[in-house]
Amino acid sequence: MKHLPDPGGSSPGPVTYEAPVTIKRMLFATWALLDSLRPDLKAAATVPDMDAPGRVDWDFIPKPDRAGIPMHSLDRHQKVIAHSLLKAGLSMRGYSQALSVMATEHMLRELEVIERGFGVLAGNFRDPEGYWFSFWGRPGFEDTWGWRVIGHHLSLNYTIVAQSHLTVTPLAMGAQPVGAGVLDALGENERRALTILHSLSPDAQEQAVIHNVAPADFVTRQVPYVGAEEWPDWVDLGIVGYETTDEDRERLRFVKADPSGISGADLTGDQLDAVRDLLLYYVETGPDELSRQYREQVLAADPRDIRFAWAGGREANTAHYYRISTRDLLVEADNAVAAGQHVHAIWRDLNNDLGHDLLLDHYARHGPDGRHLRRRLVSSRPTEDAPLETGGWYVPEVYVKH
């Protein structure tokens, strides 16, 4: 668990996930957007309860009951603010990839008009402005809150703890088709992965390739927190024609304490560098302030704790999958259901997806509300005979999560 610093004393452990500049940008952009909304749109966008079930449903498939406010409901000025908030959560390259994911909906719409005969219906189903903004908790100074942008092939999830600590995972993107002309959101990721695989000797490839069948989607699926062991589903939701067996699922499973694939210790120096660089290529879609901390973590990791795993075909335009894992991070990329032309890619923090450990630690130590915020509203001595409050921390009830 990554511990938060105690304002009343010394920090109990190493501090990570600190991103005060990024958090301030997010906060001010959030205020500007929410303040600009009509009351009905603001009500649709905000959920006071951080524990609301919708916050942990980050699945980016098309859904008829998507919550929040879509980009297409905003006016011209509000869209600019929304994009400023979107950029606050990403590096410039990450922002360009997110824009490419959105724009590729135009390509997919036209393909489906031709290939599936959707006609005018495709205009509503594949919409480059069909991305929803949602906010949980109370976006404020020293508060704990979260926000998300989600739609087809894009899921960006942010958790801010006490205005000090930030998590940005799960961070998922997808693309269909892969390499849609100049729109190529995940093409470089794919090319780097294939280069790593092809650089391996035949013996090393046998260690890296965990199965000859790729999963239908992420092995860890869309769980809010990766458990000790995760198995992929038999199919990808809503997509027919690609199905795996129980034997496939067992071969493809992810075991957090003992992930399959080739160890970094069994790679050459150049190959290990390439695996680390690909992992960081995913991580560095996030804001620069946080990415620098992850980079230090990845470069300091013992090579024995880095694993590169592959499944399915070993060439482009085949059904294939790969993942990279460390003790703390996981990347998955699946390009199976359309034989190399429909990719889903994600990077996850195995400890702090959706702020998991940070929130557990924060609530257990401070309660659900910020101590400073509560203290500002409580008299130091409400009556002459009351004991004087001299700076102790008021915690109404320990908040425990299971």
Side-chain angles (χ1 to χ4, degrees), residues 2 16 23 31 46 88 99 103 128 162 174-175 204 214 265 291 319 321 335 395 401:
K2 312 302 189 293
T16 55
I23 290 170
W31 284 354
T46 55
L99 294 179
S291 296
Y321 162 91
N335 198 347
V395 181
K401 282 182 175 286

Short mmCIF file of all heavy atoms in Angstrom, two decimals, residues 2 16 23 31 46 88 99 103 128 162 174-175 204 214 265 291 319 321 335 395 401:
data_model
loop_
_atom_site.label_atom_id
_atom_site.label_comp_id
_atom_site.label_asym_id
_atom_site.label_seq_id
_atom_site.Cartn_x
_atom_site.Cartn_y
_atom_site.Cartn_z
N LYS A 2 0.50 2.23 -0.80
CA LYS A 2 1.22 3.49 -0.85
C LYS A 2 0.61 4.44 0.17
O LYS A 2 -0.56 4.79 0.08
CB LYS A 2 1.14 4.10 -2.25
CG LYS A 2 1.46 3.12 -3.37
CD LYS A 2 2.85 2.53 -3.22
CE LYS A 2 3.24 1.73 -4.45
NZ LYS A 2 2.48 0.53 -4.70
N THR A 16 4.07 8.28 -3.34
CA THR A 16 3.96 8.15 -4.79
C THR A 16 2.63 8.75 -5.21
O THR A 16 1.81 9.13 -4.38
CB THR A 16 4.02 6.67 -5.22
OG1 THR A 16 3.01 5.95 -4.51
CG2 THR A 16 5.37 6.06 -4.91
N ILE A 23 -3.46 18.01 -10.71
CA ILE A 23 -4.72 18.02 -9.97
C ILE A 23 -5.34 19.41 -9.99
O ILE A 23 -6.56 19.56 -10.17
CB ILE A 23 -4.50 17.53 -8.53
CG1 ILE A 23 -4.18 16.02 -8.53
CG2 ILE A 23 -5.72 17.82 -7.66
CD1 ILE A 23 -3.70 15.49 -7.19
N TRP A 31 -14.32 22.88 -12.43
CA TRP A 31 -15.18 23.99 -11.97
C TRP A 31 -15.72 24.78 -13.15
O TRP A 31 -16.91 25.12 -13.19
CB TRP A 31 -14.36 24.93 -11.07
CG TRP A 31 -14.12 24.42 -9.70
CD1 TRP A 31 -14.62 23.29 -9.13
CD2 TRP A 31 -13.28 25.03 -8.71
NE1 TRP A 31 -14.14 23.14 -7.84
CE2 TRP A 31 -13.33 24.20 -7.56
CE3 TRP A 31 -12.50 26.18 -8.69
CZ2 TRP A 31 -12.61 24.50 -6.40
CZ3 TRP A 31 -11.79 26.48 -7.53
CH2 TRP A 31 -11.85 25.65 -6.40
N THR A 46 -23.01 14.91 -12.27
CA THR A 46 -22.42 14.80 -10.94
C THR A 46 -23.11 13.75 -10.08
O THR A 46 -24.34 13.64 -10.09
CB THR A 46 -22.45 16.15 -10.21
OG1 THR A 46 -23.80 16.65 -10.18
CG2 THR A 46 -21.58 17.17 -10.94
N ALA A 88 -5.92 17.78 -19.58
CA ALA A 88 -5.31 17.81 -18.26
C ALA A 88 -5.00 16.42 -17.74
O ALA A 88 -4.07 16.24 -16.95
CB ALA A 88 -6.22 18.55 -17.27
N LEU A 99 -7.91 11.71 -29.24
CA LEU A 99 -8.60 12.38 -30.35
C LEU A 99 -8.71 11.46 -31.56
O LEU A 99 -9.73 11.45 -32.27
CB LEU A 99 -7.87 13.66 -30.73
CG LEU A 99 -7.85 14.79 -29.68
CD1 LEU A 99 -7.05 15.98 -30.20
CD2 LEU A 99 -9.26 15.22 -29.30
N ALA A 103 -12.07 10.26 -33.45
CA ALA A 103 -12.24 10.54 -34.88
C ALA A 103 -12.44 9.27 -35.70
O ALA A 103 -13.13 9.29 -36.73
CB ALA A 103 -11.05 11.33 -35.41
N PRO A 128 -18.42 10.62 -33.04
CA PRO A 128 -17.17 11.14 -32.47
C PRO A 128 -17.38 12.09 -31.31
O PRO A 128 -16.41 12.48 -30.64
CB PRO A 128 -16.50 11.84 -33.65
CG PRO A 128 -17.61 12.16 -34.57
CD PRO A 128 -18.60 11.05 -34.44
N ALA A 162 -7.51 13.80 -1.61
CA ALA A 162 -7.09 14.91 -0.75
C ALA A 162 -6.27 15.98 -1.48
O ALA A 162 -5.40 16.60 -0.89
CB ALA A 162 -6.31 14.37 0.45
N GLY A 174 -9.24 1.82 -27.71
CA GLY A 174 -9.43 0.80 -28.74
C GLY A 174 -9.43 1.45 -30.11
O GLY A 174 -9.49 2.68 -30.24
N ALA A 175 -9.38 0.62 -31.14
CA ALA A 175 -9.39 1.14 -32.51
C ALA A 175 -9.97 0.09 -33.45
O ALA A 175 -9.64 -1.08 -33.36
CB ALA A 175 -7.98 1.52 -32.96
N ALA A 204 13.37 -18.45 -27.10
CA ALA A 204 12.78 -17.37 -26.31
C ALA A 204 11.32 -17.15 -26.70
O ALA A 204 10.48 -16.86 -25.84
CB ALA A 204 13.58 -16.09 -26.49
N ALA A 214 -5.62 -16.49 -29.06
CA ALA A 214 -5.72 -15.22 -28.34
C ALA A 214 -7.06 -15.15 -27.62
O ALA A 214 -8.06 -15.71 -28.08
CB ALA A 214 -5.59 -14.06 -29.32
N ALA A 265 14.71 -11.21 -17.23
CA ALA A 265 16.05 -11.71 -16.97
C ALA A 265 16.52 -12.64 -18.09
O ALA A 265 17.73 -12.88 -18.22
CB ALA A 265 16.09 -12.45 -15.64
N SER A 291 3.64 10.40 -14.98
CA SER A 291 4.41 9.45 -15.79
C SER A 291 5.87 9.40 -15.37
O SER A 291 6.50 8.34 -15.42
CB SER A 291 4.32 9.84 -17.27
OG SER A 291 3.01 9.73 -17.75
N ALA A 319 -5.25 -12.97 -35.47
CA ALA A 319 -5.80 -12.80 -34.12
C ALA A 319 -4.68 -13.00 -33.11
O ALA A 319 -4.11 -14.09 -33.01
CB ALA A 319 -6.91 -13.82 -33.89
N TYR A 321 -2.58 -11.38 -29.23
CA TYR A 321 -2.70 -10.72 -27.92
C TYR A 321 -1.32 -10.67 -27.28
O TYR A 321 -0.50 -11.58 -27.49
CB TYR A 321 -3.65 -11.53 -27.04
CG TYR A 321 -3.57 -11.26 -25.54
CD1 TYR A 321 -4.38 -10.30 -24.94
CD2 TYR A 321 -2.72 -12.01 -24.72
CE1 TYR A 321 -4.33 -10.07 -23.56
CE2 TYR A 321 -2.67 -11.79 -23.35
CZ TYR A 321 -3.48 -10.81 -22.78
OH TYR A 321 -3.42 -10.60 -21.42
N ASN A 335 -6.10 -8.11 -30.07
CA ASN A 335 -6.46 -7.78 -31.45
C ASN A 335 -6.91 -9.06 -32.13
O ASN A 335 -6.26 -9.55 -33.04
CB ASN A 335 -5.26 -7.16 -32.16
CG ASN A 335 -5.64 -6.41 -33.41
OD1 ASN A 335 -6.76 -6.52 -33.90
ND2 ASN A 335 -4.70 -5.65 -33.96
N VAL A 395 -11.99 12.84 13.56
CA VAL A 395 -12.38 11.75 12.65
C VAL A 395 -13.69 11.17 13.18
O VAL A 395 -13.70 10.48 14.20
CB VAL A 395 -11.31 10.65 12.56
CG1 VAL A 395 -11.75 9.57 11.60
CG2 VAL A 395 -9.99 11.26 12.12
N LYS A 401 -13.41 -0.25 3.92
CA LYS A 401 -13.85 -0.88 2.67
C LYS A 401 -13.46 -2.34 2.68
O LYS A 401 -12.45 -2.72 3.24
CB LYS A 401 -13.21 -0.19 1.44
CG LYS A 401 -13.88 1.12 1.07
CD LYS A 401 -13.19 1.68 -0.17
CE LYS A 401 -13.88 2.92 -0.67
NZ LYS A 401 -15.13 2.63 -1.33
#
